[in-house]
Amino acid sequence: MKFSDETLLEYLEGKLDESGTNAIESAVETDPDLELRLMALDPYAPAVQAVFDRLSAETPQIDLPEPVAPAQPVFGGLRLLAVAASVAIIAVSATFWTTRPEPLGWAEQAAIYQSLYVPKTIASLDNSPELLDAQFSLAEEQLGRGLNRDALAALPGMELKRAQVLSFEGKPLIQVVFADAQGRPFAFCIIRQGGDAPNMDVEQEILSGLATATWSQDGFGYMLIGSSDQIDLSRQLEFLTASFAS
């Protein structure tokens, strides 16, 4: 069945009666040339194509459920535009969900928190033995293990300043704060990860502009955080890994 351009334009504009609309839509299913003529005549086609041109070529393929037929038929250009717009929205959504950043882990969060510290933050901290006793008692109770305070007090080149209880995703995260000889803040963090957490060797990297070292052992995660990205942590790291070895 042949259709004139005038008839196809009426279809695209939603002006064609129901029988004419059904005839065109039935013909399109088996006539690719007719579909191309419709797209060429559709005034919305260039705008829709521009949307697809802006989408990344790496947009992943997504298995979508079979479309559900609408309760009321939609005719003409409005139907073509709705389908094209829906596909464009799905593609944009897929791009967003596959490229959004991963949630930050506990080490990244701890480094962000520590990056706010400056020497003045810890200069006036009360680190009397009585107060440290109370802080470590609370921290050990929350963590469910000892913190080897004597070893921490002997950390090379550091003065023990404070122990405080933080939390990450409902898990206790203990931050032990130190000051080096220049009064710059350092931190040693321990988080309870659970018995099924794998052991991990020491990994050193720069997080939030600070030199860090992280490792895991026997259900606990450990982290040493320096005061800048230029700090050498090797001396303190060797001491801590030995002190907290099983």
Side-chain angles (χ1 to χ4, degrees):
M1 185 175 180
K2 298 294 185 180
F3 300 96
S4 67
D5 286 352
E6 290 76 11
T7 300
L8 296 179
L9 282 171
E10 288 182 4
Y11 166 79
L12 290 170
E13 293 169 359
K15 297 177 180 179
L16 204 60
D17 59 27
E18 184 172 350
S19 62
T21 296
N22 289 338
I24 290 176
E25 292 180 350
S26 296
V28 165
E29 293 180 359
T30 57
D31 189 346
D33 291 336
L34 179 58
E35 183 179 5
L36 291 175
R37 285 180 62 199
L38 281 169
M39 294 301 295
L41 292 169
D42 186 356
Y44 296 106
V48 173
Q49 184 61 49
V51 172
F52 283 97
D53 288 342
R54 289 196 297 270
L55 295 177
S56 168
E58 301 300 324
T59 301
Q61 298 296 318
I62 299 178
D63 293 328
L64 300 175
E66 291 297 323
V68 179
Q72 299 293 330
V74 181
F75 304 116
L78 292 178
R79 177 172 181 173
L80 289 180
L81 180 60
V83 172
S86 298
V87 173
I89 291 171
I90 290 170
V92 171
S93 298
T95 301
F96 169 77
W97 285 106
T98 56
T99 58
R100 66 175 182 161
E102 292 293 324
L104 296 179
W106 75 271
E108 289 84 359
Q109 294 278 23
I112 291 173
Y113 181 67
Q114 184 68 19
S115 69
L116 302 176
Y117 278 51
V118 294
K120 288 183 179 180
T121 308
I122 61 175
S124 59
L125 288 179
D126 181 358
N127 62 341
S128 62
E130 296 77 17
L131 188 55
L132 287 174
D133 285 343
Q135 292 172 354
F136 272 86
S137 176
L138 177 60
E140 290 174 344
E141 177 185 350
Q142 293 295 312
L143 195 61
R145 60 158 293 171
L147 287 174
N148 204 349
R149 176 180 165 185
D150 290 340
L152 293 176
L155 189 64
M158 298 290 163
E159 178 187 5
L160 181 59
K161 302 290 287 187
R162 178 177 66 189
Q164 65 175 342
V165 179
L166 306 174
S167 177
F168 177 78
E169 295 184 350
K171 300 175 182 178
L173 170 60
I174 307 304
Q175 180 208 42
V176 183
V177 180
F178 302 87
D180 69 3
Q182 288 74 43
R184 297 172 299 188
F186 279 63
F188 175 55
C189 299
I190 307 177
I191 188 171
R192 187 172 64 207
Q193 296 177 316
D196 57 345
N199 292 344
M200 297 180 63
D201 293 334
V202 174
E203 179 179 350
Q204 297 194 56
E205 58 184 327
I206 304 299
L207 295 176
S208 295
L210 304 176
T212 67
T214 55
W215 68 100
S216 299
Q217 186 174 357
D218 299 331
F220 291 89
Y222 301 91
M223 183 179 191
L224 177 62
I225 311 175
S227 58
S228 75
D229 60 346
Q230 301 297 318
I231 293 294
D232 181 6
L233 301 176
S234 56
R235 185 182 176 199
Q236 291 80 20
L237 184 59
E238 181 180 0
F239 184 89
L240 288 170
T241 52
S243 300
F244 284 84
S246 298

